[in-house]
């Protein structure tokens, strides 16, 4: 019977070979011993054959032990150079706790709208700072400036003569911050 921790990844090849050697030795010994036990009369030829088989098995066992001792095998270790550990869960407990602890944020003002829900209507350049007028699907107009927050993670980074550039913060699978640029273009008169 194999020990309960036999299948764990900490076991080395040396341990596996040791169990293999023991298993094959027991199989050979039983293969030789069982036929001799079932016979009522044991002849001298069978005794000689049995002794020779046992001696041969002992030699094999000793040779396997010497082979295992000479190998000096080291246990396997996983090299995680810029790789995730495949034995760890994809989502850590820390991230799950952060998600559970965050309360749903109530969005107000321009944060209620994602950039795709708004249409750029006009751009106004003044002495102090440029402004843009956007409207929602109900044709209600809003004035936005550089630095205005839009949607859950967007902020207006620049207002140009024909477009408004919005940077949106997102996270990768490994929780790294990434910025995505969204452009709202001013439509020419007559375009839909």
């Amino acid at each position: 019977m194999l020990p309960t921790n036999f299948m764990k990844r900490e076991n080395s090849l040396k341990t596996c070979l040791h169990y293999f050697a023991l298993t094959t030795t027991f199989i050979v010994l039983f293969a030789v011993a069982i036929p001799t036990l079932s016979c009522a009369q044991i002849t001298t030829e069978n005794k000689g054959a049995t002794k020779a088989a046992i001696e041969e098995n002992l030699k094999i066992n000793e040779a396997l032990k010497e082979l295992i001792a000479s190998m000096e095998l080291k246990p396997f270790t996983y090299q995680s150079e810029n790789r995730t550990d495949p034995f760890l869960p994809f989502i850590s407990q820390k991230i799950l706790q952060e998600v559970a602890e965050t309360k749903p944020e109530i969005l107000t003002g321009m944060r209620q709208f994602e950039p795709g829900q708004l249409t750029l209507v006009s751009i106004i350049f003044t002495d102090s700072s440029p402004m843009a007028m956007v409207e929602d699907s109900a044709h209600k107009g809003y004035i936005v400036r550089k630095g205005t927050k839009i949607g859950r993670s967007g902020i207006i980074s620049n207002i140009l003569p024909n477009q408004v550039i919005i940077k949106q913060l997102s996270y990768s699978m490994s929780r790294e911050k990434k910025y995505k640029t969204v452009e709202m273009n001013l439509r020419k008169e007559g375009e839909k």
Side-chain angles (χ1 to χ4, degrees):
M1 183 117 219
L2 295 175
T4 56
N5 68 347
F6 178 74
M7 295 305 290
K8 291 186 178 177
R9 68 180 173 142
E10 298 93 33
N11 287 332
S12 64
L13 183 61
K14 185 176 180 179
T15 307
C16 293
L17 286 173
H18 180 70
Y19 286 124
F20 176 74
L22 288 174
T23 306
T24 54
T25 303
F26 285 125
I27 290 172
V28 171
L29 285 176
F30 283 123
V32 171
I34 290 174
T36 58
L37 293 176
S38 64
C39 297
Q41 296 179 342
I42 301 175
T43 61
T44 56
E45 293 175 7
N46 285 344
K47 282 185 182 179
T50 304
K51 275 187 176 182
I54 291 173
E55 288 175 5
E56 183 69 26
N57 288 336
L58 290 174
K59 287 180 185 177
I60 291 172
N61 195 16
E62 289 298 319
L64 283 174
K65 285 180 183 177
E66 289 175 15
L67 177 67
I68 290 171
S70 68
M71 286 182 165
E72 297 180 22
L73 297 174
K74 296 178 183 175
F76 174 76
T77 56
Y78 179 74
Q79 300 296 327
S80 62
E81 303 159 359
N82 298 325
R83 294 184 283 183
T84 57
D85 190 348
F87 301 105
L88 294 177
F90 291 115
I91 301 174
S92 69
Q93 291 296 330
K94 181 180 176 184
I95 293 172
L96 288 175
Q97 287 174 350
E98 288 175 5
V99 170
E101 290 173 0
T102 56
K103 295 177 183 174
E105 186 178 358
I106 298 172
L107 303 176
T108 59
M110 293 306 298
R111 297 205 58 207
Q112 296 175 18
F113 303 103
E114 290 297 326
Q117 297 173 317
L118 300 170
T119 306
L120 183 59
V121 178
S122 67
I123 296 176
I124 305 164
F125 285 96
T126 63
D127 293 337
S128 59
S129 67
M131 296 181 282
M133 184 172 157
V134 294
E135 68 179 30
D136 62 8
S137 59
H139 300 291
K140 185 175 179 184
Y142 303 93
I143 302 291
V144 293
R145 291 182 170 86
K146 186 175 178 180
T148 303
K149 293 182 179 180
I150 292 184
R152 292 198 174 274
S153 62
I155 188 166
I156 295 179
S157 64
N158 203 356
I159 298 178
L160 302 173
N162 290 326
Q163 64 184 354
V164 173
I165 299 174
I166 302 166
K167 280 192 174 183
Q168 285 187 316
L169 175 67
S170 63
Y171 292 95
S172 67
M173 293 292 282
S174 60
R175 301 291 293 166
E176 293 177 23
K177 289 183 179 181
K178 292 185 177 181
Y179 288 97
K180 175 183 164 186
T181 303
V182 178
E183 298 175 353
M184 294 176 63
N185 294 316
L186 185 61
R187 293 185 181 152
K188 294 180 182 175
E189 197 171 319
E191 281 185 20
K192 287 189 178 185

